[in-house]
Amino acid sequence: MNQAIIMGASSGIGREVACILLADGWRIGVAARREEALEELKRLYPDQVETARIDVNATDAPALLMALIRRVGGMQLYFHASGIGRQNPGLDERIEMDTVETNALGFTRMIGAAFRHMAAGEGGRIACISSIAGVKGLGPAPSYSATKAFQNTYIQALEQLATNRRLPISFTDIRPGFVDTPLLKGGHYPMLLDPKQVARQIVRAICGGRRVQVIDWRYRILTAVWGLIPNRIWRHFPLLK
């Protein structure tokens, strides 16, 4: 039985991926700030699920992650689905700082802990949900866009580090477009993706050993076009209202 830890499994994509892995027979540790939201998975799969309340912004989060890994019995896959994001064209300071704390500092804290655990043991795969928002600076969501670019670069740097140290650690950077999850409630977004379909594509990408996976094909085309737009044009480009 494969063993995985899913950080941010209380709702959205993290929960959908957890359901797929459980149906495939994995033993998993599910973690989130709201542990009560994880109890349903525990009730459905009592022999396969361990739960933990972990806040990625808390300094004790790495220690709690290690304790969860021990209860699961190991970790071949660390899947980081924890993150926040809101449109913030008014540049509200609280929104910007909260986003940076969770998506940059919390992300670094947990990905680093997973990397060190795998480096000291038998390796494994680290996968994370970043976003197509990391491809270009998106004016309606400055800190979200910037922290997703940070995540893309951080994973790339760790891959180089693991390769140079000859560590058996591999990586999958998942970059979805707009997914119909609670994170996007209250906004108007084009080309919304179904979270169950997104989760299936994520699991295929992870099990297939993909390094970077943009979801779905429409967003692969969109981000390819974005990459061709020079900044002198991009800064005038209308995006989300």
Side-chain angles (χ1 to χ4, degrees):
M1 185 181 293
N2 293 316
Q3 298 153 321
I5 301 294
I6 301 179
M7 189 64 57
S10 60
S11 64
I13 299 174
R15 186 177 184 85
E16 295 296 340
V17 168
C19 290
I20 292 173
L21 295 182
L22 287 167
D24 285 345
W26 287 59
R27 178 166 169 76
I28 65 174
V30 289
R33 287 182 299 178
R34 296 181 295 116
E35 188 175 9
E36 64 275 8
L38 307 173
E39 290 303 322
E40 182 182 358
L41 290 175
K42 179 69 172 177
R43 288 193 295 271
L44 291 172
Y45 300 91
D47 298 326
Q48 291 174 246
V49 173
E50 297 290 340
T51 68
R53 184 190 182 280
I54 300 178
D55 181 351
V56 301
N57 295 328
T59 56
D60 66 348
L64 294 175
L65 173 62
M66 295 304 114
L68 181 59
I69 293 170
R70 287 192 293 272
R71 286 196 282 126
V72 171
M75 179 177 70
Q76 285 80 50
L77 169 66
Y78 175 79
F79 181 56
H80 192 90
S82 178
I84 62 174
R86 289 176 58 186
Q87 291 193 46
N88 190 25
L91 216 63
D92 180 282
E93 181 180 359
R94 180 185 56 82
I95 294 173
E96 295 298 279
M97 294 300 102
D98 287 350
T99 303
V100 170
E101 183 178 17
T102 298
N103 294 358
L105 299 180
F107 174 88
T108 302
R109 179 178 290 112
M110 304 314 296
I111 295 292
F115 183 96
R116 289 186 291 273
H117 173 82
M118 291 180 178
E122 298 179 354
R125 178 170 292 272
I126 295 174
C128 70
I129 298 176
S130 60
S131 173
I132 63 164
V135 174
K136 284 280 193 179
L138 304 182
S143 62
Y144 180 76
S145 182
T147 54
K148 291 304 175 177
F150 172 89
Q151 292 178 1
N152 299 158
T153 303
Y154 196 76
I155 289 296
Q156 184 181 54
L158 290 189
E159 182 178 41
Q160 185 186 69
L161 179 62
T163 301
N164 277 268
R165 290 175 57 185
R166 293 181 171 81
L167 297 173
I169 305 175
S170 52
F171 301 85
T172 299
D173 181 355
I174 306 293
R175 303 177 184 180
F178 299 122
V179 184
D180 189 12
T181 65
L183 189 66
L184 296 187
K185 295 302 182 186
H188 299 284
Y189 300 89
M191 299 192 299
L192 271 179
L193 302 172
D194 177 74
K196 292 183 184 296
Q197 294 181 3
V198 170
R200 286 193 289 269
Q201 291 187 56
I202 288 173
V203 172
R204 283 198 297 268
I206 291 173
C207 294
R210 294 296 300 270
R211 168 61 184 80
V212 175
Q213 183 68 43
V214 177
I215 301 174
D216 62 2
W217 65 269
R218 296 169 295 174
Y219 286 102
R220 287 194 283 274
I221 294 173
L222 180 64
T223 54
V225 172
W226 281 1
L228 299 175
I229 301 174
N231 190 57
R232 66 180 181 274
I233 296 175
W234 181 259
R235 60 175 173 255
H236 298 289
F237 201 73
L239 291 175
L240 299 176
K241 297 293 186 181

